[in-house]
Amino acid sequence: MPVLDLPIRLDSSQRGQTRQLHAALRAAILDGRLPAGLKLPSSRALADQLGINRNSVVAAFEHLAGDGFVEPRPGAGTFVAVGLPMPVVGGPVPDPPLPPPRRPFGLGYSLTDDALLHRLAGHIRRRVLTAQTADLDYGDPRGSAHLRREIAQYLAVQRGIRCDPGCIIILTGTQPGIRLLADGLFRPGDQIWVEDPGYDASRFTLTAAGLCPVPVPLDGEGMDIETGGRDWPAARAAYVTPSHQFPTGVAMSLRRRLALVAWARSRQGWIIEDDYDSEFRYAGPPLTALAGIAAERVLYLGGFTKTLFAGLRLAYLVAPPEILPQLLAARAALDRFPPSFTQDAVADLMAEGYWLNHTRRMRRHYRMARDRVVAILRDCAGPALRVDVPAQGLHLLAQLPEGATQAHAIRDAAGVEALLLSEARLRPDGPEGFVLGFSGHPLADLEQAAQRLGQAARDHLG
Amino acid sequence: MPVLDLPIRLDSSQRGQTRQLHAALRAAILDGRLPAGLKLPSSRALADQLGINRNSVVAAFEHLAGDGFVEPRPGAGTFVAVGLPMPVVGGPVPDPPLPPPRRPFGLGYSLTDDALLHRLAGHIRRRVLTAQTADLDYGDPRGSAHLRREIAQYLAVQRGIRCDPGCIIILTGTQPGIRLLADGLFRPGDQIWVEDPGYDASRFTLTAAGLCPVPVPLDGEGMDIETGGRDWPAARAAYVTPSHQFPTGVAMSLRRRLALVAWARSRQGWIIEDDYDSEFRYAGPPLTALAGIAAERVLYLGGFTKTLFAGLRLAYLVAPPEILPQLLAARAALDRFPPSFTQDAVADLMAEGYWLNHTRRMRRHYRMARDRVVAILRDCAGPALRVDVPAQGLHLLAQLPEGATQAHAIRDAAGVEALLLSEARLRPDGPEGFVLGFSGHPLADLEQAAQRLGQAARDHLG
């Protein structure tokens, strides 16, 4: 009578010995320790060996037979099934490209503090504790009504956008929003104007969604609508950052805004307005959003990545009511909606004024960081860098003198993470320079990095 | 000298009178209260009228001019700009189709209790409070390492799946997972076998992603692989629910599992295994997942919608390591990742054993609900319904006698929400019956609904 030569240990303090034995035998069969065709011990012998009830063994055998892992042969015993596929052990697991840790001039970071986390944690906790059944189920595909009301109010007061909260869709991020627009409004291959230079992540998302981003050049007034119309007359939409062009920092002039709106109206095209950093305005009131002057052709994207933090995964889209049904249909096959408790907790932060205060507090920090970086760069680089002082946002541009091309070498010498202007551009030629993020980094780190970059620029170009 | 005939009220207790005045004037210009060409009062007159400092008015005018909303004409004054586009007020906001409130036999609901919410709220709160910088930024595109480790351990013990936590991708839902696979692995138009009848939401997602789900019939052993191969030889993948087919409840036999694996291996095809309810097993150990016997061809989908709740937005995918890079690249243009604090809080629930205990506790409730519904339906309907007792899951099937077609009428008479078998089917003909969800509904409601449905069936067919 065979004895099972396996170190099976059942935890007798736990119920479910059948379940434990079944799992142990299945694992042994699957990994080959019990080879195909092997005769198992009788249920009585195995029960004796393991010190458990025979019925438990019989039941485990029956389940294994039901699974197909063993074959009972009447009068002969129970055998490990023949012909089971052996699992192929996967190859080594590749390490995916992780986002880099924060380094000075890295873009898109936000500053948070313990006070914010404490307040947010309290709101989330309360929202989870008081969740109603409807909050736990699939909800309104537009997201929390509470958060949409707060956003609508903020947009009206701060951005000159008047919209019904019903026209707001809460997103898990701006890129998911662009993806939603791609799926809900456009057809594969549709051309979309993008600013050149521009935001590469959005270009990537448009391309991944099967669309065709086409570059339109900029000048001091923003996207050159006339050139766009001449070069890409068939485009169905324009993706723009009019309040503070990424990365150049240009604010689109009203003339250009009107030209863009006229273009969109004339062909029933769409304007995707990515208003990614207008909460951080250092000089004067924020510019009126395009969605404030042509709501019926504008798809407005805003979010909480910069005023709160990226890991929260919250952004929003304002869309004309006519296209909501098609957007929501597309959304059902994408990410659906973020958890209600996160949305409602952020709405709580807004309703009590905390969010606006936090944003103001952070704006002061960012402004100080901007001013320090500008001062040091100008001081160290001299004429080797032309440093713009952005009126808004979390990055600044430091350009090389016309014709200079040593940006790579300077960056390497300085050992900083700066994005190069040429890396944000689709066309091969144009001015060269550095796009420098100054938010979410310790001031001392920024100061040192600015010194190194300024010095390296002077060394190469002085 | 014109006086501004506008009820502008500045809050003198607030700083930023320039900002307030700018916003008020902009709003009035945009909504037409200050028409194009109107001459504004002088800054001095307006300052007097409003009782504020003249410099504040000058600054507001300058900002409005910068925006392009007003035109200063030297020597003549400041005028509302001509040629501004008037915003088109959006049409009425349509109410999107909201998910219906829970009604007896509605599918996919889960039971939660205060104890679970309390524990979850505590974990989330602690995770937010103790968040490190890396937790607030863009993180590992696979999601929380902590949660992936817990899931890997659960899958090994309970589902016979041995996988490196590095092969797990945390999702915001099962459908987002299917979408991710569609984007990362397939080309537009690729055929995907789906069970017929089957889960309509997954078919919808596949279609929305540009793929072509093609129906493969079922029998008592699950998907008919042979017919699939004959009818749709070019298919690149199969989407299956082998542990507990939705909606019929059939468990795929080992023979069929092996045939499906052989088919996938022979053509480098993929098996998408949606293991949507195997945590709720009422009889015997859970069946071994396909991912436990052919990990290299199986894309395994599991989630927390049924053991916790849908609004949490957490699910996961186990994928062979070779295809992780392409999946993660696709993910960058989809939803990226869920918030780290939600993921880590669920990992905490798992690590302390609470999640498994909660699942066991809910399983007892669901089993009781199942047994009550079965008993009442059998009692009330008699031979008019053939009621299966599912060994697993949160729904059961009540079929009409062969040839009977009165399902719509019976459902209407009973006033219940049941999905009809015919509604889950692509082919026009086949058996008729009701797919009845018994989870997440009060027991008394289920009992009454079962009585009504059973009675209506007997009235129509008795």
Side-chain angles (χ1 to χ4, degrees):
Chain A
M1 188 179 292
V3 168
L4 197 64
D5 186 22
L6 273 183
I8 290 179
R9 278 189 211 86
L10 303 186
D11 181 350
S12 58
S13 70
Q14 292 274 333
R15 293 176 55 199
Q17 298 189 319
T18 297
R19 191 182 284 257
Q20 290 181 56
L21 180 59
H22 172 272
L25 290 174
R26 180 179 62 182
I29 292 170
L30 277 170
D31 66 14
R33 283 176 292 158
L34 294 179
L38 180 78
K39 183 177 180 186
L40 294 179
S42 71
S43 55
R44 185 184 306 273
L46 195 52
D48 285 352
Q49 183 188 335
L50 298 172
I52 61 174
N53 190 298
R54 188 183 160 199
N55 287 341
S56 299
V57 180
V58 171
F61 279 13
E62 278 171 5
H63 293 315
L64 285 169
D67 263 358
F69 287 109
V70 301
E71 291 164 9
R73 296 182 201 153
T78 300
F79 296 79
V80 176
V82 176
L84 279 176
M86 286 303 106
V88 173
V89 177
V93 178
D95 270 331
L98 295 182
R102 296 188 183 187
R103 288 180 58 207
F105 300 147
L107 292 159
Y109 296 113
S110 67
L111 209 58
T112 52
D113 54 20
D114 287 351
L116 170 73
L117 294 181
H118 193 268
R119 203 150 192 113
L120 178 64
H123 286 314
I124 296 184
R125 176 169 174 276
R126 207 187 62 251
R127 286 292 178 174
V128 173
L129 283 180
T130 59
Q132 302 297 304
T133 303
D135 301 320
L136 306 175
D137 292 343
Y138 293 98
D140 188 318
R142 295 170 298 188
S144 150
H146 181 24
L147 181 56
R148 289 186 282 112
R149 273 195 306 274
E150 291 297 328
I151 291 170
Q153 198 173 329
Y154 162 76
L155 292 176
V157 173
Q158 299 290 334
R159 306 297 293 118
I161 300 171
R162 285 161 305 149
C163 67
D164 187 299
C167 293
I168 297 176
I169 299 178
I170 309 295
L171 307 166
T172 58
T174 302
Q175 295 306 316
I178 292 176
R179 183 56 185 253
L180 175 61
L181 294 173
D183 282 16
L185 283 183
F186 302 113
R187 295 209 198 86
D190 275 356
Q191 290 179 358
I192 315 284
W193 288 357
V194 295
E195 297 159 329
D196 187 22
Y199 186 37
D200 59 339
S202 298
R203 279 204 308 264
F204 171 76
T205 300
L206 291 168
T207 305
L211 306 183
C212 184
V214 293
V216 178
L218 304 167
D219 59 21
E221 293 191 74
M223 182 183 256
D224 181 347
I225 310 302
E226 210 171 303
T227 300
R230 198 176 54 236
D231 288 357
W232 311 105
R236 297 220 32 231
Y239 167 83
V240 286
T241 51
S243 299
H244 184 232
Q245 202 274 331
F246 186 90
T248 65
V250 170
M252 190 182 277
S253 69
L254 189 68
R255 199 165 63 108
R256 281 287 166 76
R257 289 172 192 240
L258 298 185
L260 181 57
V261 166
W263 170 83
R265 287 186 172 153
S266 72
R267 51 187 299 113
Q268 295 291 96
W270 295 105
I271 300 168
I272 304 172
E273 177 175 28
D274 188 350
D275 200 27
Y276 64 104
D277 68 6
S278 65
E279 296 89 353
F280 299 105
R281 182 88 194 155
Y282 307 113
L287 300 174
T288 297
L290 282 168
I293 54 179
E296 88 291 4
R297 301 300 335 149
V298 175
L299 308 153
Y300 176 90
L301 290 163
F304 296 98
T305 290
K306 293 184 174 59
T307 55
L308 296 172
F309 51 94
L312 190 62
R313 311 308 297 134
L314 277 184
Y316 51 88
L317 166 70
V318 184
E322 307 79 53
I323 60 166
L324 277 180
Q326 66 202 84
L327 291 180
L328 295 177
R331 183 163 213 195
L334 282 167
D335 60 351
R336 302 209 176 186
F337 59 93
S340 64
F341 50 82
T342 322
Q343 299 181 67
D344 285 334
V346 170
D348 292 339
L349 287 180
M350 296 181 83
E352 68 192 358
Y354 192 91
W355 176 74
L356 210 56
N357 278 333
H358 173 77
T359 301
R360 280 201 201 104
R361 219 162 42 237
M362 296 306 122
R363 191 191 302 143
R364 283 198 292 275
H365 284 286
Y366 298 148
R367 179 182 202 135
M368 191 189 311
R370 177 197 70 167
D371 292 345
R372 285 301 294 149
V373 170
V374 167
I376 293 172
L377 279 179
R378 285 182 172 164
D379 191 43
C380 295
L385 287 179
R386 198 192 78 215
V387 184
D388 294 341
V389 184
Q392 173 174 319
L394 308 180
H395 72 270
L396 57 83
L397 197 61
Q399 285 186 256
L400 303 190
E402 210 180 313
T405 57
Q406 298 94 319
H408 275 97
I410 295 169
R411 181 173 63 180
D412 287 350
V416 298
E417 162 158 330
L419 176 74
L420 302 188
L421 204 41
S422 55
E423 293 169 337
R425 189 166 50 216
L426 287 170
R427 290 172 198 230
D429 54 321
E432 189 49 288
F434 306 97
V435 184
L436 306 176
F438 53 77
S439 63
H441 305 287
L443 196 55
D445 293 1
L446 284 173
E447 291 174 339
Q448 289 167 18
Q451 264 173 356
R452 291 201 307 273
L453 184 63
Q455 191 57 54
R458 190 195 284 263
D459 290 348
H460 280 75
L461 299 165
Chain B
M1 187 181 294
V3 167
L4 196 64
D5 185 22
L6 272 182
I8 289 180
R9 278 188 212 89
L10 303 187
D11 181 350
S12 58
S13 71
Q14 292 275 329
R15 293 177 55 201
Q17 298 189 318
T18 297
R19 189 183 285 258
Q20 290 181 57
L21 179 59
H22 171 272
L25 291 174
R26 180 179 61 183
I29 292 170
L30 276 170
D31 66 15
R33 282 176 292 160
L34 295 179
L38 181 78
K39 183 177 181 186
L40 293 180
S42 71
S43 55
R44 185 184 307 273
L46 195 52
D48 284 351
Q49 183 187 334
L50 297 172
I52 62 175
N53 190 297
R54 187 184 162 200
N55 287 341
S56 299
V57 179
V58 171
F61 278 14
E62 278 172 5
H63 293 314
L64 285 169
D67 263 0
F69 288 108
V70 301
E71 291 164 9
R73 296 182 200 153
T78 300
F79 296 79
V80 176
V82 176
L84 278 177
M86 285 303 106
V88 173
V89 176
V93 178
D95 271 329
L98 294 183
R102 295 189 183 187
R103 286 180 59 204
F105 300 148
L107 292 160
Y109 296 114
S110 67
L111 209 58
T112 51
D113 55 21
D114 286 351
L116 170 73
L117 293 181
H118 194 268
R119 201 148 195 114
L120 178 64
H123 285 313
I124 295 184
R125 176 169 174 277
R126 208 187 60 253
R127 288 291 179 175
V128 173
L129 282 180
T130 60
Q132 302 299 303
T133 303
D135 301 320
L136 306 176
D137 292 343
Y138 294 98
D140 188 319
R142 293 170 300 188
S144 151
H146 181 23
L147 181 56
R148 288 186 283 113
R149 274 196 306 275
E150 291 298 327
I151 291 171
Q153 198 174 330
Y154 162 76
L155 291 176
V157 173
Q158 300 288 335
R159 305 297 294 119
I161 300 172
R162 286 161 305 150
C163 68
D164 188 299
C167 295
I168 297 176
I169 299 178
I170 309 295
L171 308 166
T172 57
T174 303
Q175 296 306 314
I178 292 175
R179 183 55 184 254
L180 175 61
L181 294 173
D183 283 15
L185 283 183
F186 302 113
R187 295 208 198 87
D190 275 356
Q191 290 180 357
I192 315 284
W193 289 357
V194 295
E195 298 158 329
D196 187 20
Y199 186 38
D200 60 340
S202 298
R203 278 203 308 264
F204 171 76
T205 301
L206 291 168
T207 304
L211 306 185
C212 184
V214 292
V216 178
L218 303 166
D219 59 21
E221 293 191 74
M223 182 183 257
D224 181 346
I225 311 303
E226 210 171 303
T227 300
R230 198 176 53 235
D231 288 358
W232 311 103
R236 297 220 31 231
Y239 168 83
V240 287
T241 51
S243 299
H244 184 232
Q245 202 273 333
F246 186 90
T248 64
V250 170
M252 190 182 279
S253 69
L254 189 69
R255 200 165 63 110
R256 281 287 165 75
R257 289 171 192 240
L258 298 185
L260 181 57
V261 166
W263 170 83
R265 286 186 172 155
S266 72
R267 51 187 296 113
Q268 295 292 95
W270 296 105
I271 301 169
I272 304 172
E273 177 175 29
D274 188 350
D275 202 27
Y276 64 104
D277 68 5
S278 64
E279 296 90 352
F280 299 104
R281 182 87 196 156
Y282 307 113
L287 299 175
T288 297
L290 283 168
I293 54 179
E296 90 288 5
R297 301 304 331 153
V298 175
L299 308 153
Y300 176 91
L301 291 163
F304 295 97
T305 290
K306 294 185 174 59
T307 56
L308 296 171
F309 52 94
L312 191 61
R313 310 308 297 135
L314 277 184
Y316 52 89
L317 165 70
V318 184
E322 306 81 51
I323 60 167
L324 278 179
Q326 66 201 84
L327 291 179
L328 295 178
R331 183 163 213 193
L334 283 167
D335 59 352
R336 302 209 177 186
F337 59 93
S340 65
F341 51 81
T342 321
Q343 299 181 65
D344 285 335
V346 170
D348 292 339
L349 287 179
M350 296 181 84
E352 68 192 0
Y354 192 91
W355 176 74
L356 209 58
N357 279 332
H358 174 76
T359 302
R360 279 202 202 105
R361 219 162 42 238
M362 296 304 122
R363 191 191 303 141
R364 282 198 293 275
H365 283 286
Y366 298 149
R367 179 183 200 135
M368 192 188 311
R370 177 197 70 169
D371 292 345
R372 284 302 292 151
V373 169
V374 168
I376 293 172
L377 279 179
R378 285 183 172 163
D379 191 44
C380 295
L385 288 179
R386 200 191 78 215
V387 184
D388 294 342
V389 184
Q392 174 175 318
L394 307 180
H395 73 271
L396 59 83
L397 197 61
Q399 284 185 256
L400 302 190
E402 210 180 314
T405 57
Q406 298 94 319
H408 274 98
I410 295 170
R411 182 174 63 180
D412 288 350
V416 297
E417 164 159 327
L419 177 73
L420 302 188
L421 203 42
S422 55
E423 292 168 337
R425 190 166 47 218
L426 287 170
R427 291 170 197 230
D429 53 320
E432 188 50 288
F434 306 98
V435 184
L436 306 175
F438 53 77
S439 65
H441 306 287
L443 196 56
D445 292 2
L446 284 173
E447 290 174 341
Q448 288 167 20
Q451 262 173 359
R452 291 201 307 275
L453 184 63
Q455 191 58 53
R458 190 196 283 266
D459 290 347
H460 281 75
L461 299 165

